[in-house]
Amino acid sequence: MPTRLTAALPVLGALLATIRNLLSPEVIGRVPDDAFFYLVIARNLARGLGFSFDGREVTTGFHPAWLALVRALPLGSPEAGFAGLLVLHGGMTALAASALYLLLRRAGAGALHAGLFSFAAGAWGASAYGLGMETALVSAALLGALLFPGLGLVAGLARPDALPVLLSAGRRAFGLGLIGVGAVLFFNRLVGGEWVSTSVALKGLGTLAWRWERLDGAVVWRHVPGPTLAALGVALVMRVRRVPLGPA
């Protein structure tokens, strides 16, 4: 199979899964809670009501980078907004799967094997549409940062827990990730009055005591998203095999 065709397989996997989601009444008719939360805040922001879910109280219980992308979507009914969110999620997943393909090729995998694996990753990632779906952006930024360190800034803006992966991506990616995380913390402070987000503050996750007392297996696996672990695994394997990271 020509290399150009295998390189398109990651995008094809994400595209097919996204089309399936859009054509499925069960998917379109059941908007996940977190996705609905993002859509309502984005709609209120467009109406001039600020960062608020109910139109009165300010909230920072979201990831600002993902909300900025959701805000750019055409927001009508919840179903229409969710359809746009699925397309955005699928596009980000396609970028993540394409970055995975390039990383596998650089690590020595054959074009067909890398293409088929990335096809499966794109299809699986686009099918995992639950929660707020911001993990698609995280996946694209983290895997992309292993190729282009400048994307470390996007990863830090997307989610603070991107930092462990950025350590493996090199000093520049990690430094930019720190800047991104710092920007998110400053945003939380400026808008909500707390350095941590509203949801984190309400749950008490912002205290060091909570982290030490609750640092058990269930909590770690619940709060560390799968794409973060997957990207970290790719980075560590490439480090062990001494495959150069960053631009080729």
Side-chain angles (χ1 to χ4, degrees), residues 7-25:
L9 287 176
V11 177
L12 180 61
L15 177 63
L16 291 176
T18 300
I19 292 175
R20 175 200 169 276
N21 290 336
L22 293 172
L23 295 179
S24 172

Side-chain angles (χ1 to χ4, degrees), residues 53-147:
F53 180 77
D54 59 8
R56 298 185 301 274
E57 298 293 330
V58 173
T59 181
T60 56
F62 52 83
H63 299 285
W66 184 243
L67 180 65
L69 294 177
V70 176
R71 170 64 183 83
L73 296 173
L75 302 170
S77 65
E79 291 77 13
F82 185 47
L85 198 54
L86 286 171
V87 172
L88 176 62
H89 175 262
M92 289 296 163
T93 301
L95 290 176
S98 296
L100 178 61
Y101 172 84
L102 294 175
L103 288 166
L104 291 172
R105 291 287 286 142
R106 186 179 293 189
L112 181 58
H113 290 159
L116 291 175
F117 186 85
S118 301
F119 173 88
W124 172 80
S127 298
Y129 57 84
L131 302 180
M133 297 192 286
E134 75 279 354
T135 48
L137 174 61
V138 180
S139 302
L142 288 176
L143 290 167
L146 299 176
L147 294 166

Side-chain angles (χ1 to χ4, degrees), residues 188-213:
N188 291 336
R189 179 69 174 177
L190 183 66
V191 174
E194 299 280 352
W195 290 107
V196 296
S197 67
T198 305
S199 57
V200 170
L202 289 174
K203 295 174 184 176
L205 306 186
T207 64
L208 185 61
W210 187 96
R211 292 175 181 171
W212 280 106
E213 292 172 7

